[in-house]
Amino acid sequence: MKKTTNKPALIPKMYCSLFGHDFQVSKKVTLHVKEYTCKHCKKELTTNSNGNLTELTPKFREINAILERIYNSRTERLKRKTITSSIC
Ligand SMILES: [Zn+2]
């Protein structure tokens, strides 16, 4: 009898509870805030305002989206400023 290669969804969670999560950066929000996803169970974490890792709840996703927007507009402005000052 052939073994099926399709693993049930429970296995990655079991793997993580046995060996621990394997988080990889899935998104850079700012220089200090990043979002992480576990390779095995897809659990998501993010850096909170204290610099600690916390579960990526919809609330944190919202906060990160705002942070990202602020961060991007600030770096955009900085870039433009540098270009202008190098021209002058
Ligand atoms: Zn995991």
Side-chain angles (χ1 to χ4, degrees):
M1 212 169 90
K2 257 187 170 183
K3 268 187 189 172
T4 170
T5 48
N6 282 338
K7 288 174 189 165
L10 256 166
I11 296 296
K13 274 185 187 164
M14 270 174 58
Y15 181 92
C16 288
S17 63
L18 284 174
F19 303 107
H21 297 289
D22 197 354
F23 287 110
Q24 291 191 318
V25 177
S26 53
K27 190 178 181 184
K28 275 187 181 180
V29 181
T30 70
L31 222 54
H32 306 289
V33 178
K34 292 180 187 79
E35 289 177 5
Y36 302 87
T37 309
C38 176
K39 265 202 312 204
H40 305 289
C41 68
K42 307 294 172 204
K43 184 186 166 77
E44 291 175 298
L45 290 186
T46 186
T47 327
N48 65 15
S49 48
N50 300 320
N52 299 318
L53 288 178
T54 185
E55 206 171 317
L56 185 63
T57 58
K59 187 78 204 164
F60 271 109
R61 216 184 279 272
E62 212 174 286
I63 293 168
N64 283 354
I66 296 164
L67 278 177
E68 192 183 19
R69 209 159 55 213
I70 296 168
Y71 179 74
N72 284 339
S73 67
R74 198 184 293 160
T75 46
E76 267 309 300
R77 237 196 341 259
L78 275 175
K79 254 185 257 164
R80 235 173 282 150
K81 202 176 168 188
T82 328
I83 293 164
T84 331
S85 56
S86 63
I87 290 167
C88 292

